Amino acid sequence: MLPNHSFSPDTRCTVLYIKHMVCPRGIRVVRYELESLGLRVLQVRLGAATVAGPATALDWARIREALAMAGFALLKTPKHVLATQVRHLVDELLRRPFTVAHRDVIAALAQEAGMGVRQLHGLFARLPGPGSLPGYIKHQRLAYAQELLEASPLSIGRIARQLGYSSLAHFSGQFRRFAQCAPSAYRQQQRVAPEAAVLDAEVPNSAS
């Protein structure tokens, strides 16, 4: 089951959940700050860092202060920790191609979280911010579709299958309501915008 605290069930290490880590530079800065405190950092990823040693041995006040000075915030309440863990699990599941069908995501999520589907629904409903679990999954799935349309050479039909949709029509309908345009139009818009920026940069300034 998902732990309701900010440390790993493995008492040999502790997981710190950290806000405002949004890019690789944040990962580097967090690692530097934690190592500066004398901690042995085992892993740092967006939103979390794992350090050696049990939670009871850590100086939480110093860690919180060091991260705050660097522009980050240490998550400390069970609700915040659970929200972060569930969201990470959702994002991880959606990025596993051809393994989780659209209708099976919640069941797979509950299995990985070690709880029943009804229990997971109830837990997520009490978390701050994201709303219902199906709504959050749908939003994240379509946001990931936008990423794939922007950066991937995959066809729209293949993207729909990769995201677990039963049909292209189902995917296109949901995407249209989410992005206010069809997937093909969204892809075209994203391709035109960089080209326009390049052309603008190449046009000499007539005033110079």
Side-chain angles (χ1 to χ4, degrees):
M1 181 179 293
L2 290 172
N4 64 351
H5 40 59
S6 57
F7 53 92
S8 166
D10 182 350
T11 57
R12 294 170 297 179
C13 64
T14 302
V15 180
L16 312 175
Y17 293 95
I18 303 166
K19 288 176 63 177
H20 311 314
M21 293 175 63
V22 296
C23 64
R25 179 182 178 278
I27 291 176
R28 293 194 296 271
V29 172
V30 165
R31 178 180 288 276
Y32 173 80
E33 293 295 336
L34 295 177
E35 289 178 343
S36 296
L37 296 175
L39 297 171
R40 184 160 67 91
V41 180
L42 305 178
Q43 181 189 41
V44 183
R45 62 184 190 276
L46 291 179
T50 304
V51 300
T56 53
L58 299 181
D59 188 333
W60 290 91
R62 287 186 66 212
I63 293 172
R64 187 172 294 109
E65 180 181 1
L67 292 174
M69 291 290 290
F72 304 100
L74 185 65
L75 297 177
K76 56 184 178 180
T77 69
K79 283 188 176 181
H80 282 139
V81 171
L82 281 169
T84 300
Q85 290 173 322
V86 171
R87 290 168 187 163
H88 275 293
L89 272 177
V90 169
D91 292 344
E92 180 186 333
L93 278 174
L94 293 180
R95 281 162 170 74
R96 294 180 191 173
F98 305 110
T99 58
V100 183
H102 182 79
R103 64 182 181 277
D104 297 331
V105 170
I106 292 179
L109 180 63
Q111 182 177 0
E112 296 219 4
M115 61 180 67
V117 170
R118 290 183 61 185
Q119 184 183 7
L120 181 62
H121 276 289
L123 171 67
F124 201 83
R126 296 191 297 272
L127 296 179
S132 72
L133 181 57
Y136 180 74
I137 291 172
K138 178 180 176 181
H139 181 278
Q140 293 304 103
R141 186 192 301 276
L142 292 169
Y144 183 38
Q146 287 182 314
E147 292 180 29
L148 293 175
L149 288 167
E150 291 173 20
S152 168
L154 297 175
S155 69
I156 294 173
R158 189 175 178 87
I159 289 173
R161 291 194 300 274
Q162 178 164 319
L163 291 175
Y165 285 93
S166 58
S167 70
L168 178 57
H170 184 202
F171 167 64
S172 296
Q174 286 206 346
F175 188 89
R176 190 184 295 272
R177 288 189 289 273
F178 178 76
Q180 305 302 309
C181 65
S184 56
Y186 182 84
R187 170 169 272 175
Q188 184 62 28
Q189 290 169 7
Q190 300 309 308
R191 289 177 175 175
V192 168
E195 292 173 2
V198 170
L199 288 175
D200 288 343
E202 291 176 349
V203 174
N205 190 333
S206 59
S208 60

